[in-house]
Structure formats: structure tokens, C-alpha cells
Amino acid sequence: MVQLQIISDQQNALPVIQSAIAAKVKRIEIGLRKTEQEIQRFESKYHIASEQFMTDCTAEDLDGGDDEYVSWMGELQLRQAIREELHLLNNIEYVTQRVSD
């Protein structure tokens, strides 16, 4: 576990930080939806699931050759990275503690 400590003399610091993280999560979720749509487009076009594509297909199997292979594989890797980032941000625990002067 990683702990991050932010010290501020402003009482509204926590809501501002929470709001910034929530906005980041929303932007990431929008990106994930776009990535999912692209993956779905490939799956519909080739009538195979991405899991099967990753294990059974080569660039020669796709109409667009290398370009489509790299694009599809890139979308799958991007989806994984986005999911990991969302998991990290969604599992942040906020703990407030007053520090005495």
C-alpha cells in the first residue's frame, strides 16, 4: 500500500482534491467507452472476440493487414491500461486528520 499525505492549511482542500480526482475518473471513463466502441467495431467486423483475436490471428488474417492488427491490439492494450488506472483511482481512501500547531 502506498500512502500519500497532503498537508494544507485550507479547510476546503479535501473536497477540491476529491473533485479533481472525480473529474479525472470521468474523463478516463469517457476514454474507456471510446476504446470499447473501437474494440466492438473490430469484433463485429471480423466476427471474433478480442481474446480469440489475440491468440489466433495475425496481420495477414485482417483485411487492413498490419494497420488494423496494430490498431486492434493497441486498443486492447489501451483498454487494459485504462482499467488499471480506473481501479487505482476508484480505490483511493480519503483519511482526514487534524494536525495540531
Side-chain angles (χ1 to χ4, degrees), residues 9-80:
D9 60 354
Q10 302 297 311
Q11 289 200 359
N12 65 341
L14 181 61
V16 169
I17 292 166
Q18 288 173 316
S19 176
I21 291 173
K24 175 72 173 175
V25 165
K26 292 220 180 294
R27 288 190 303 273
I28 292 171
E29 288 171 341
I30 290 168
L32 179 59
R33 281 193 296 276
K34 289 180 181 180
T35 298
E36 292 284 1
Q37 289 172 346
E38 279 301 302
I39 291 169
Q40 181 61 45
R41 185 181 65 80
F42 283 118
E43 289 177 341
S44 295
K45 180 177 181 177
Y46 292 103
H47 307 290
I48 62 170
S50 291
E51 292 73 20
Q52 183 180 356
F53 159 74
M54 290 188 296
T55 59
D56 297 344
C57 293
T58 65
E60 291 79 29
D61 297 321
L62 305 179
D63 296 336
D66 287 341
D67 288 341
E68 279 206 349
Y69 183 88
V70 169
S71 293
W72 193 350
M73 193 62 75
E75 292 294 338
L76 293 170
Q77 291 171 348
L78 179 59
R79 177 176 67 183
Q80 183 61 34

